[in-house]
Amino acid sequence: MSVMKRLSGIVQAKANKALDKAENPADMLDLTYEKQLENLQKVRRALADVATARKRLELQATQLQAQAQKLQDQAKQALGQGQEDLAREALARRATLAEQLESLGTQHQQVEQQQQQLETTASRLQAQVDAFRTKKETLKASYTASKAQASIGEAVSGISESMTDAGMTLDRAQDKIAQMQARAGAIDELLDTGALPDALGGGGDDIQKQLDATSRAGQVDTELAALKAQIGAGAESPSLPAGSAEGGDGPAPAAGAPAGGNS
Amino acid sequence: MIVRILGEGRYDVPDADLPAIEQLDAQLMDALERVDEAEFSGTLADIIGQVRHTGTHLPPDDLRPSELVVPHEGSTLAEVRDLLAQGT
């Protein structure tokens, strides 16, 4: 069995159904023209929606990319501090982001295709509207003169088939837009709730807190060592040059203390 | 024969080129029934390529009806299955 023949049958049935409403051929022409204009409006609106969906995807991709880069940097920083577990956590989150990014890429391709199909549909409809506007007056005149019902029927059913195609393209685009919006909403939520810490929020995430705490602790250790060295130089061993005795092995790691939350 | 690609427009395809397209069409149905997504999308792309290549694109004011209809470019198997279900 053929897909193309079955689909043709479905399109014809839809097109005929759309035609059943008008009885008088002249009315039918006007009605068809009205419908064409309506259809064109709908396609234009959908086109605007697709453009919005596309921009939103692009914005999210940028945010996710920035976040992935940040996690990469954090992993490096954590390793530098000797916190391998934290580095591992940052990389694991980065992998999740990479998955999201990949699927955003696929969606972006789809949305581009929708946009292209809608643009084609819009310009085709526009050309048809223009052509049909003059044609319908000619047909009306010939109908009243003789009875060219057959040619009216043919013209109208041709238009109707084309409008059915436009309607189906529109439905498909709207489904895709809805799916994309739902998905974009889910990603926004994820970015908001901090499951994927907001790339633009800056510094507020837990990995960063741990890194900051560790580097603060390191700084405290350094200062402590410097102080010890000063005191040591002043009180105990005047014969030794200041700081050289204790300064070297001073920064003892203050382990455990800065561990914030284990999630 | 006039072939419509949904979302794209109509092409007048010479009769001599129809058998190749019909064969691809049968393959498409086969992929649909076996739920072979990869085969399905590959075959659909082939059909669309063939129609574009062998057919002459019809201007919008040509109002002759089409006899064969090809799904939208990039359609998934599920989408086409749903479309075909509208006819039953």
Side-chain angles (χ1 to χ4, degrees):
Chain A
M1 187 54 187
S2 152
V3 174
M4 290 161 67
K5 275 196 190 115
R6 276 175 64 181
L7 205 48
S8 171
I10 289 163
V11 169
Q12 298 310 335
K14 278 177 185 260
N16 289 336
K17 206 171 164 190
L19 283 183
D20 281 342
K21 289 163 196 163
E23 327 83 39
N24 173 332
D27 288 350
M28 204 160 165
L29 289 170
D30 288 331
L31 209 72
T32 302
Y33 182 65
E34 292 299 312
K35 267 197 214 160
Q36 270 188 310
L37 289 180
E38 238 173 73
N39 242 358
L40 189 57
Q41 287 300 326
K42 281 190 203 158
V43 170
R44 294 239 164 89
R45 272 198 296 272
L47 207 44
D49 288 345
V50 168
T52 310
R54 182 178 164 170
K55 274 192 202 126
R56 193 172 177 192
L57 283 179
E58 283 164 4
L59 181 70
Q60 286 191 326
T62 313
Q63 284 180 320
L64 287 177
Q65 250 151 15
Q67 185 63 27
Q69 183 57 50
K70 184 177 170 188
L71 285 165
Q72 172 82 21
D73 294 345
Q74 286 178 330
K76 221 182 273 179
Q77 201 183 341
L79 264 190
Q81 291 181 354
Q83 302 199 80
E84 202 174 319
D85 284 350
L86 195 59
R88 194 182 295 279
E89 171 65 22
L91 289 178
R93 286 189 199 178
R94 192 173 164 278
T96 313
L97 288 189
E99 272 169 32
Q100 297 275 1
L101 262 171
E102 200 177 316
S103 101
L104 274 189
T106 315
Q107 295 235 326
H108 192 254
Q109 275 179 344
Q110 284 180 357
V111 94
E112 272 182 331
Q113 204 170 45
Q114 297 299 318
Q115 198 170 358
Q116 203 193 336
Q117 285 177 354
L118 284 175
E119 269 162 11
T120 309
T121 301
S123 65
R124 206 181 56 217
L125 280 179
Q126 181 65 66
Q128 271 178 351
V129 164
D130 295 343
F132 193 65
R133 186 169 40 230
T134 44
K135 192 161 189 168
K136 83 182 167 79
E137 295 311 321
T138 318
L139 284 169
K140 268 200 235 174
S142 72
Y143 175 71
T144 42
S146 57
K147 39 180 182 350
Q149 205 160 351
S151 61
I152 290 183
E154 200 182 271
V156 167
S157 66
I159 288 283
S160 188
E161 180 192 313
S162 170
M163 286 201 295
T164 302
D165 178 353
M168 288 165 86
T169 302
L170 200 62
D171 285 348
R172 180 164 182 265
Q174 278 164 345
D175 281 354
K176 292 268 173 198
I177 293 168
Q179 282 171 18
M180 232 159 267
Q181 281 169 340
R183 205 183 145 69
I187 289 180
D188 275 347
E189 210 168 291
L190 227 54
L191 284 164
D192 280 350
T193 55
L196 299 175
D198 188 351
L200 304 177
D205 62 277
D206 54 343
I207 290 184
Q208 194 58 47
K209 273 181 200 147
Q210 288 192 50
L211 288 170
D212 290 348
T214 306
S215 71
R216 264 200 308 277
Q219 207 178 340
V220 168
D221 288 342
T222 313
E223 284 172 12
L224 198 64
L227 275 179
K228 277 185 191 166
Q230 262 181 17
I231 291 168
E236 280 198 68
S237 44
S239 58
L240 290 174
S244 72
E246 304 199 350
D249 56 350
N262 32 348
S263 49
Chain B
M1 185 179 275
I2 299 179
V3 180
R4 174 183 292 279
I5 301 175
L6 286 177
E8 183 169 327
R10 287 161 313 135
Y11 291 82
D12 196 351
V13 176
D15 288 348
D17 294 307
L18 279 176
I21 292 174
E22 278 164 359
Q23 197 187 333
L24 286 170
D25 188 15
Q27 264 181 47
L28 190 70
M29 186 50 118
D30 185 49
L32 188 80
E33 278 165 356
R34 285 186 293 110
V35 197
D36 185 339
E37 187 81 57
E39 168 78 15
F40 181 86
S41 51
T43 309
L44 179 57
D46 287 349
I47 292 176
I48 291 174
Q50 281 274 36
V51 172
R52 282 180 187 153
H53 181 68
T54 58
T56 316
H57 199 240
L58 292 176
D61 59 342
D62 182 328
L63 296 175
R64 288 174 293 162
S66 59
E67 289 170 70
L68 293 173
V69 175
V70 184
H72 291 94
E73 183 175 28
S75 292
T76 62
L77 194 149
E79 276 176 327
V80 174
R81 202 178 41 209
D82 289 351
L83 270 188
L84 292 179
Q86 291 177 19
T88 53

